[in-house]
Amino acid sequence: MKTYKIFSISGRATRREFWCYFILSLMVTSAFLNVMFNAISVVSFYTGGIIGCAGFYIGSAVTVRRLHDIGLSGYLSIILIGSWALNIVFSLLLGMPTTIQHFKTIYGINSLILVTFILYLGCKKSENNDNKYGPVTHHIIK
């Protein structure tokens, strides 16, 4: 029986698992942050925020496991988290009436780095042997 490590940051995640969890967490986070920002009551605001944070954690956990699968340290996920946080800050700054052109340029470059990093993680082949993060999680056909 296969067990799902949705909240675990230990072990490895295949490309398929990465994309499934990443898309799931993106949808959950987006939906509940939308509920949170369009909240009518305090309860829906906090509920949306808590579930949105859970979706973000799921995406972060699968990113760490994916990094492990390609033989890299999970600490590199700080690039993804930091880039995501910078985009939120820049989005808030771009919404201000006195927007500076430099913010738009930095936002665009940061978004490009973020997308490139995610595509790299999602497309890079797994290591074909056991590594220090765990055994191979897929069957290798020779």
Side-chain angles (χ1 to χ4, degrees), residues 60-90:
S60 299
V62 75
T63 300
V64 169
R65 290 196 317 273
R66 182 69 192 132
L67 283 164
H68 289 170
D69 193 47
I70 59 177
L72 299 173
S73 171
Y75 287 113
L76 287 175
S77 66
I78 293 172
I79 294 169
L80 181 65
I81 294 167
S83 186
W84 180 80
L86 274 177
N87 271 358
I88 289 175
V89 169
F90 287 132

Side-chain angles (χ1 to χ4, degrees), residues 8-139:
S8 175
I9 60 171
S10 63
R12 298 168 67 166
T14 62
R15 286 183 282 190
R16 180 177 180 215
E17 184 180 358
F18 172 76
W19 283 117
C20 289
Y21 279 134
F22 190 81
I23 291 169
L24 173 71
S25 75
L26 191 62
M27 290 187 318
V28 167
T29 303
S30 298
F32 283 101
L33 288 179
N34 186 32
V35 167
M36 186 178 92
F37 288 122
N38 295 315
I40 297 172
S41 69
V42 175
V43 173
S44 61
F45 177 80
Y46 287 117
T47 303
I50 290 168
I51 296 176
C53 288
F56 175 73
Y57 181 78
I58 292 167
S60 299
V62 75
T63 300
V64 169
R65 290 196 317 273
R66 182 69 192 132
L67 283 164
H68 289 170
D69 193 47
I70 59 177
L72 299 173
S73 171
Y75 287 113
L76 287 175
S77 66
I78 293 172
I79 294 169
L80 181 65
I81 294 167
S83 186
W84 180 80
L86 274 177
N87 271 358
I88 289 175
V89 169
F90 287 132
S91 295
L92 294 173
L93 291 174
L94 290 174
M96 298 171 69
T98 58
T99 303
I100 300 172
Q101 184 63 32
H102 298 309
F103 286 140
K104 291 181 181 177
T105 305
I106 294 170
Y107 179 79
I109 292 170
N110 192 45
S111 296
L112 182 63
I113 291 169
L114 185 62
V115 168
T116 304
F117 186 69
I118 291 169
L119 287 175
Y120 171 76
L121 287 178
C123 296
K124 175 119 171 84
K125 287 186 113 181
S126 302
E127 285 191 334
N128 291 336
N129 49 5
D130 296 350
N131 64 20
K132 66 181 179 179
Y133 302 107
V136 175
T137 56
H138 60 284
H139 299 289

